[in-house]
Amino acid sequence: MLSRIRIVLVATTHPGNIGAAARAMLTMGLARLVLVAPRSFPDEQASSRAAGADSVLESARVVATLEEAVADCSWVVASSARPRHLSDEPMQPTEAATRLVEAAQGSEVALVFGSERMGLTNDELDFCHAQTMVPANPGYSSLNLAAAVQVYAWELRKAAVGAPKVSPKDGHPWYVPPSHEQTENFYTHLERVLLATGFLDPLNPRLLMRRLRQLFNRARPDLNELNILRGILTSVEDPKVRTRRTPKSATRPDRT
């Protein structure tokens, strides 16, 4: 679906912004870049700011008009910070990305950005099917072009592939959620230790165990963490006597 989504930059004045936008795109798996009447492209500044996203720049298509850029697209969304009284309420980035991805399942779609200084003109906005806006600080809502592209590129990736899992713990057997039986065994162990130490009064337990259950349920310890807690409880029941080691620095003679 991402392969059917193109990013269109209209009348970009600074070539460095083209390169930065290409970098923002490639980090999120987007590769289709169309440039409408850029002031300077190709350009060394674009290549420098792309920081390795040369494939996006090399495959970028340069056209003369927005109409040519989106001629084969079934749905075109304009990104603009300029509110218009005659238009519908601009979509939030998340909604815009979701709808773009849905439309891209069967056809080509485009997300359009205007020039750095003026944004998209009214005529260019009229040429698009819908409008989206980043809900930035109303006192200073001007986003850098590449920053705006990055916001939407991230939202498009989330909509297409879901929020990525980047934790190295994923799939590791130590970090799986404990079973219900393992969790209940922990609570039984915990209650036994608290009774043995006198912290829990069996004649007046109140709601202690229930509160502790709520505490650990909120924390949701994984299996490794639960085993650590069980180990701590075991050390309370059967303390280990360890020989204290003297730091090496303390045994060295004073040579001053």
Side-chain angles (χ1 to χ4, degrees), residues 135-213:
N137 175 9
Y140 186 71
S141 60
S142 176
L143 277 173
N144 171 270
L145 175 59
V149 172
Q150 186 73 82
V151 169
Y152 283 97
W154 164 238
E155 292 291 348
L156 286 166
R157 182 166 187 81
K158 283 198 300 180
V161 302
K165 296 181 179 181
V166 296
S167 173
K169 295 181 177 181
D170 291 338
H172 196 292
W174 285 1
Y175 303 114
V176 298
S179 67
H180 185 273
E181 181 182 10
Q182 289 169 326
T183 302
E184 286 300 313
N185 288 341
F186 163 69
Y187 289 137
T188 300
H189 194 172
L190 176 61
E191 184 174 11
R192 184 173 72 242
V193 170
L194 295 180
L195 286 169
T197 61
F199 188 85
L200 175 60
D201 184 355
L203 300 179
N204 188 25
R206 298 188 179 183
L207 300 176
L208 178 62
M209 288 307 302
R210 180 175 295 176
R211 292 184 184 278
L212 289 174
R213 278 176 174 266

Side-chain angles (χ1 to χ4, degrees), residues 28-94:
M28 297 300 154
L30 295 163
R32 304 276 302 284
L33 176 63
V34 182
L35 305 173
V36 178
R39 177 175 293 181
S40 177
F41 187 81
D43 192 284
E44 290 184 1
Q45 292 187 65
S47 300
S48 175
R49 291 286 300 279
D54 301 305
S55 60
V56 177
L57 296 180
E58 292 168 0
S59 62
R61 187 160 61 97
V62 181
V63 297
T65 65
L66 177 58
E67 182 178 3
E68 185 180 354
V70 299
D72 59 337
C73 294
S74 66
W75 204 50
V76 180
V77 178
S79 172
S80 175
R82 181 187 304 162
R84 297 195 302 169
H85 298 296
L86 297 180
S87 64
D88 294 331
E89 182 73 18
M91 292 183 291
Q92 296 276 335
T94 300

Side-chain angles (χ1 to χ4, degrees), residues 85-131:
H85 298 296
L86 297 180
S87 64
D88 294 331
E89 182 73 18
M91 292 183 291
Q92 296 276 335
T94 300
E95 180 187 359
T98 300
R99 294 184 62 181
L100 279 164
V101 168
E102 290 173 351
Q105 294 182 31
S107 60
E108 295 282 326
V109 299
L111 178 59
V112 182
F113 297 84
S115 66
E116 297 92 329
R117 182 179 178 184
M118 300 298 296
L120 294 168
T121 66
N122 285 332
D123 288 342
E124 289 165 343
L125 287 169
D126 287 338
F127 198 77
C128 301
H129 299 113
Q131 182 178 337

